[in-house]
Amino acid sequence: MKKINFKSLLYIALVAGIVTGCADEPELPPYQELTFVEGFEEGADNTLLVTEGWLNYAEQGTAKWTIQRYNNNGYAEYTSFQTSAAVSVGWLISPAIALEENHGKRLRFVSSQSFVSSPLNSLEVFVSTDFDGTNVAAATWTQVDATIPGPDAEYFEFLDSGLIDLANFSGNVYVGFKVTGSGTNNELDGSYQIDNVTIY
């Protein structure tokens, strides 16, 4: 698991409501222990994503996730733009995250889009407990509900996924981000970005 840096801790504080604009003595919520956090800060701009423990896998086509950097912030991006595959499907799968029974953990991340013009050019989020770390097709993947930016969203404006309940999952858990697009259909060659993947 990646080392927790100050930026990631501040993000968690903000989304958990610890930092408020209230001048009166705010009541702090209970302490939220971080189980996992990834901010994609390692790697040079516009290079193949090779973050330790993560699987960057092209199910169809050749496009894979990359590291992008803007204003000193790193994030993961997938696009099929200017590739030759009629269908592009790319997965970014987390390392194994150990969750005990009755853990009460939640998944949260932020995502954005650019040049997405069709809901068929999609970003989906899945969880698996039987993934072996390499064989994506053989694993059981359960889709989870998350707020994902649609075609009308502002380009590169990160949107909070909301709290995703992981109560139904325990043991070694893997989180998979899957983008479907096309390199030959300009209605389906948009890009998705994700950042600050957190479980707490």
Side-chain angles (χ1 to χ4, degrees):
M1 183 174 71
K2 182 179 175 180
K3 291 182 179 178
I4 298 171
N5 59 31
F6 176 77
K7 186 190 88 169
S8 297
L9 287 174
L10 179 58
Y11 169 76
I12 297 304
L14 288 170
V15 298
I18 295 174
V19 177
T20 72
C22 181
D24 299 328
E25 302 170 357
E27 187 174 322
L28 297 179
Y31 171 71
Q32 301 286 339
E33 181 182 359
L34 286 172
T35 299
F36 178 87
V37 62
E38 179 59 69
F40 302 107
E41 292 303 327
E42 297 176 4
D45 183 44
N46 201 30
T47 59
L48 185 68
L49 189 153
V50 289
T51 302
E52 183 178 359
W54 288 76
L55 177 65
N56 190 354
Y57 172 67
E59 179 182 330
Q60 290 185 255
T62 58
K64 290 189 175 183
W65 290 77
T66 62
I67 289 290
Q68 302 292 328
R69 307 192 70 85
Y70 181 73
N71 281 349
N72 296 318
N73 177 56
Y75 53 89
E77 179 177 82
Y78 181 90
T79 183
S80 54
F81 179 63
Q82 291 187 331
T83 64
S84 59
V87 179
S88 290
V89 179
W91 288 78
L92 185 61
I93 302 173
S94 75
I97 303 161
L99 299 180
E100 298 176 354
E101 296 281 351
N102 303 314
H103 51 74
K105 299 296 184 180
R106 305 290 187 268
L107 166 68
R108 200 168 201 168
F109 63 94
V110 294
S111 62
S112 63
Q113 64 93 353
S114 53
F115 305 103
V116 171
S117 57
S118 167
L120 298 177
N121 187 185
S122 61
L123 168 63
E124 300 168 290
V125 186
F126 297 86
V127 175
S128 177
T129 58
D130 64 1
F131 178 51
D132 64 6
T134 56
N135 195 336
V136 178
T140 302
W141 294 98
T142 301
Q143 187 170 5
V144 294
D145 291 330
T147 300
I148 303 293
D152 294 332
E154 293 290 330
Y155 292 173
F156 299 106
E157 184 173 301
F158 281 102
L159 183 66
D160 191 336
S161 67
L163 287 174
I164 301 165
D165 189 358
L166 298 178
N168 293 328
F169 306 97
S170 61
N172 284 334
V173 171
Y174 297 83
V175 178
F177 297 89
K178 176 185 176 182
V179 175
T180 301
S182 171
T184 60
N185 184 341
N186 60 14
E187 294 294 317
L188 303 175
D189 64 356
S191 305
Y192 282 99
Q193 301 80 34
I194 63 169
D195 201 359
N196 296 329
V197 180
T198 309
I199 293 177
Y200 62 97

